[in-house]
Amino acid sequence: MKQKKILYAGKAKSVYRTDEKGRLIVEFRDDITAFDGGKKDVLKNKGSYNAGVSAFFFAYLAKNGVRTHFIEMLDAHRMVVRELAMIPLEVIVRNIAAGSIVRNYPFKEGTKLDPPVIVIDYKDDSRHDPMLNDELIVALKIATPQELRKIKAAALKVNALLVKLLAKQGITLVDFKIEFGRENKTIYLGDEISMDSMRLWDRKTGESLDKDVYRFNKGDVMDTYDRVAKRITKTAKKP
Ligand code: C5P
């Protein structure tokens, strides 16, 4: 497969056309950003950790009946994916109160949210990703009510599968963000699922094992990504 012209460059990933119809290449760059791009750095090999963990999660989810855009890895940084028309929603699933939900609402950090809480934001940096509700999503023609039901059901299924997988490695899935896209009328899980888009806590120590280490200068983020990537992908070798 040949990489062709760039289609899109986001804050940490770039997307390229290929010589195959309906197939794109996603490159996970070494850029890391936080606070709407207000904090930025380049950390050598960071992209390969997120690419590897995303590929691992996508393969696991596909095996368990979730439609994802992932096809294969080309190398440590580049993933071949199905071309989707992305839906501009950030679908966040929360199992434990942390981050913006604690800042914006009277939740105490660490409170268990059972059932999990789904929050959907409008993906638009210039508007700082404002929170949507179902009526707004339909009125803005971002998704139909039926699609929205499918997206929420898929998000809860992804959550249940990832909670189970991570628990085997002593990791608590606090929250995560996923994005979806369409190929014709079928909805697929797209984008990435990585330490950049999840909150992960060590079950015993409560240590952050995700981008909060970078956001809040909690330690060496590359050391954390290296340790957590090994811990997560090790689950694969277990029967
Ligand atoms: O900041 P907040 O608490 O709303 O984030 C919830 C979860 O969604 C976190 O795991 C965060 O890393 C992820 N997220 C993301 N991209 C965004 C906003 C949130 O990956 N633009």
Side-chain angles (χ1 to χ4, degrees):
M1 171 176 286
K2 280 206 184 85
Q3 185 168 306
K4 299 278 192 181
K5 78 170 200 297
I6 189 158
L7 268 183
Y8 171 80
K11 292 197 282 286
K13 299 191 294 299
S14 300
V15 181
Y16 296 86
R17 284 228 166 277
T18 70
D19 56 349
E20 287 181 34
K21 197 166 167 280
R23 297 288 179 263
L24 301 177
I25 290 173
V26 178
E27 179 196 12
F28 288 70
R29 305 195 315 267
D30 288 341
D31 302 272
I32 186 163
T33 72
F35 310 119
D36 258 350
K39 181 174 178 179
K40 285 187 211 179
D41 282 285
V42 179
L43 302 172
K44 196 166 159 40
N45 282 332
K46 175 252 174 191
S48 66
Y49 289 111
N50 282 352
V53 167
S54 282
F56 175 73
F57 282 146
F58 281 138
Y60 163 73
L61 293 170
K63 216 169 62 193
N64 287 282
V66 178
R67 285 197 186 93
T68 89
H69 71 157
F70 174 68
I71 294 174
E72 61 176 348
M73 292 302 292
L74 277 184
D75 54 41
H77 282 258
R78 291 182 308 150
M79 179 182 282
V80 180
V81 301
R82 183 184 294 271
E83 180 172 3
L84 302 178
M86 291 305 290
I87 302 170
L89 297 176
E90 301 206 331
V91 182
I92 296 162
V93 184
R94 299 176 181 275
N95 296 302
I96 292 180
S100 67
I101 200 179
V102 171
R103 286 197 304 278
N104 298 333
Y105 303 93
F107 285 111
K108 196 169 166 287
E109 185 176 71
T111 307
K112 191 166 166 45
L113 303 169
D114 187 14
V117 172
I118 300 180
V119 174
I120 305 185
D121 292 346
Y122 182 41
K123 189 177 166 76
D124 184 338
D125 278 345
S126 70
R127 292 186 164 82
H128 307 290
D129 303 337
M131 192 193 288
L132 294 168
N133 65 19
D134 293 10
E135 286 77 7
L136 280 167
I137 292 169
V138 174
L140 286 163
K141 299 194 170 13
I142 295 172
T144 65
Q146 195 193 15
E147 286 180 324
L148 196 50
R149 274 197 299 278
K150 282 190 187 160
I151 285 171
K152 287 186 188 176
L156 290 177
K157 181 167 181 179
V158 169
N159 182 52
L161 286 165
L162 293 183
V163 163
K164 194 167 118 194
L165 182 82
L166 290 163
K168 285 189 194 158
Q169 290 303 329
I171 298 171
T172 303
L173 177 57
V174 175
D175 57 36
F176 62 96
K177 183 266 307 179
I178 47 179
E179 297 180 26
F180 293 86
R182 298 180 190 90
E183 186 197 54
N184 302 317
K185 293 208 163 140
T186 306
I187 292 181
Y188 288 83
L189 179 61
D191 194 52
E192 70 178 300
I193 312 180
S194 73
M195 288 74 81
D196 275 11
S197 60
M198 320 176 88
R199 242 181 219 110
L200 304 170
W201 291 351
D202 183 280
R203 191 170 56 216
K204 282 207 190 103
T205 64
E207 180 193 358
S208 284
L209 303 169
D210 57 65
K211 196 157 89 174
D212 273 354
V213 175
Y214 174 73
R215 289 190 187 98
F216 304 113
N217 304 311
K218 290 181 172 192
D220 180 342
V221 66
M222 288 303 287
D223 171 65
T224 302
Y225 277 27
D226 182 54
R227 281 187 291 122
V228 74
K230 283 183 182 138
R231 247 168 107 172
I232 290 171
T233 54
K234 207 170 72 183
T235 338
K237 281 158 202 123
K238 283 194 174 172

